[in-house]
Amino acid sequence: MGDVPDAREELDRLGRALRAQLVELITDLTPGSDLGLLFLDDPTVADWHDPLRHHYAALFRGERPASVGAADLTSRAAALLDSAGWQVTASQDGDGPRRWSVLTGRHDFGSIEIRVAHHISAVMFSGQTPALALRTPEEFTWPEPLRTPETLTPGYLLCYECDGLGACPGCGGRGWWPDQVHGRTNCRECRRQRVCAICRGAGQLAASLLSPHQRRYYSGSG
Ligand SMILES: [Zn+2]
Ligand SMILES: [Zn+2]
């Protein structure tokens, strides 16, 4: 496991290019927008399959100026994207007066979607960079037990649930399992708590504090 050389720099470069393009579009099409609300600060996980792939993604709502019709704004947006080298596809979402005009633009540094409402002033901008793997695939190694019969605190017993592991015995402390469809699925034993639900990560239980129910797990061992 390790960093993929230059992947983060490349992703940051894509993120900056996408941000610059979004700022240009928003400033031109919905003037007066508060660009402080355009969040493109940190890459997020786009694909949870190992190795995780990250991208920069943003969603921004602008307001169409009262003097500009939705159709005109859509044409203007298409022209701006086209002149900046984006491959633009136009479509429509819904029918009649409540429809949205939708433009999808593709470029080496990502994709942008602009949705222009005809019945309200909303103009929705969304953009995302391609998703890159920042780290090489992780080889998971099952953790060593936190407690063994030799390292028990006096007066304590190995946790009957995890046998001293401390980490969740269902997932080994990752909190998730690989999942073919979603990449990851939450561990059903610890529900992402990562530690054993019985000893809460200690690997051992105080003999004097065991409930009668818990004592039954140790019957036979003294
Ligand atoms: Zn335990
Ligand atoms: Zn678990």
Side-chain angles (χ1 to χ4, degrees):
M1 173 182 98
D3 291 332
V4 175
D6 302 329
R8 181 59 198 260
E9 288 75 9
E10 172 66 4
L11 187 59
D12 288 348
R13 187 186 68 78
L14 294 168
R16 282 193 299 274
L18 177 68
R19 185 185 170 87
Q21 183 62 74
L22 282 172
V23 166
E24 207 176 300
L25 290 165
I26 293 166
T27 308
D28 188 294
L29 298 170
T30 58
S33 295
D34 180 1
L35 288 167
L37 297 174
L38 177 64
F39 298 115
L40 266 169
D41 299 331
D42 286 305
T44 51
V45 177
D47 185 339
W48 287 93
H49 289 87
D50 199 38
L52 298 187
R53 293 190 303 134
H54 290 75
H55 68 177
Y56 282 94
L59 179 66
F60 187 90
R61 180 186 166 133
E63 303 295 331
R64 174 163 52 87
S67 57
V68 182
D72 288 343
L73 189 142
T74 307
S75 319
R76 168 89 186 141
L80 285 173
L81 283 169
D82 186 61
S83 68
W86 292 74
Q87 276 198 326
V88 188
T89 316
S91 59
Q92 196 166 291
D93 185 0
D95 277 317
R98 300 179 74 84
R99 70 190 184 279
W100 294 71
S101 293
V102 182
L103 294 174
T104 310
R106 300 204 176 280
H107 200 290
D108 290 345
F109 53 81
S111 61
I112 284 180
E113 189 181 78
I114 303 175
R115 300 173 63 86
V116 184
H118 286 252
H119 57 301
I120 51 174
S121 61
V123 182
M124 305 300 299
F125 301 85
S126 61
Q128 54 192 9
T129 66
L132 301 185
L134 301 181
R135 298 176 72 75
T136 50
E138 274 181 56
E139 194 69 51
F140 180 66
T141 45
W142 201 257
E144 293 294 321
L146 202 61
R147 297 286 175 178
T148 64
E150 291 75 39
T151 62
L152 278 175
T153 304
Y156 281 72
L157 298 165
L158 280 185
C159 170
Y160 59 85
E161 179 71 13
C162 66
D163 221 18
L165 190 65
C168 168
C171 62
R174 279 200 292 193
W176 52 270
W177 275 99
D179 179 77
Q180 223 165 12
V181 178
H182 305 289
R184 290 183 180 186
T185 182
N186 287 347
C187 173
R188 267 177 289 185
E189 283 195 38
C190 66
R191 299 180 188 280
R192 296 185 65 183
Q193 297 300 300
R194 295 162 175 254
V195 294
C196 168
I198 300 301
C199 64
R200 299 189 189 284
Q204 60 181 3
L205 298 167
S208 58
L209 297 176
L210 291 178
S211 68
H213 166 73
Q214 291 178 315
R215 260 177 234 289
R216 264 184 275 152
Y217 289 93
Y218 296 99
S219 61
S221 68

